[in-house]
Amino acid sequence: MIFKMIGDGRPYPDHGLSHREWAQIPPRQIRLDMLITTKAVLDLNSLLAKDSTFYGDLFPHVVQWRDDLYLEDGLHRALRAALHQRSVLHARILELEK
């Protein structure tokens, strides 16, 4: 199993963070098997594109809410890590109040 669960949507409240605000959160290591995805489908073009990790933030965005960790952005990066047989990745983790 790669992820804790495959979700479809964001069950947590809207946090309203901009890309600039996400960039202020220092990345931390997190195990892939602790993450719940917020997307059930991934476009293979996103996963396999050579420049898919060139644009945007270098680190996936994770939201911690109600003791769960939701992978909000960066599913393609997490899957690439799994395909390279890595069990952890560096991500920015936003802790929301319960």
Side-chain angles (χ1 to χ4, degrees):
M1 177 188 288
I2 298 172
F3 300 112
K4 179 178 179 179
M5 193 169 86
I6 306 300
D8 192 16
R10 300 174 182 172
Y12 48 87
D14 184 16
H15 51 70
L17 256 62
S18 67
H19 290 290
R20 176 170 279 161
E21 291 168 318
W22 271 107
Q24 301 304 312
I25 300 172
R28 305 185 315 208
Q29 275 193 348
I30 188 165
R31 292 177 48 90
L32 292 174
D33 62 3
M34 296 174 65
L35 296 173
I36 299 171
T37 69
T38 59
K39 296 178 186 172
V41 177
L42 174 70
D43 178 18
L44 280 177
N45 288 323
S46 295
L47 177 64
L48 301 175
K50 289 182 182 180
D51 65 351
S52 69
T53 57
F54 183 75
Y55 300 102
D57 197 343
L58 291 176
F59 302 101
H61 297 171
V62 173
V63 175
Q64 182 176 357
W65 186 63
R66 294 189 176 167
D67 300 323
D68 283 317
L69 297 166
Y70 295 92
L71 181 60
E72 179 175 289
D73 184 46
L75 179 58
H76 63 291
R77 293 178 195 272
L79 284 174
R80 278 186 173 197
L83 289 172
H84 286 102
Q85 298 183 352
R86 294 191 302 256
S87 60
V88 298
L89 83 147
H90 287 82
R92 301 183 192 280
I93 302 172
L94 171 67
E95 298 175 12
L96 289 182
E97 305 230 354
K98 297 180 183 183

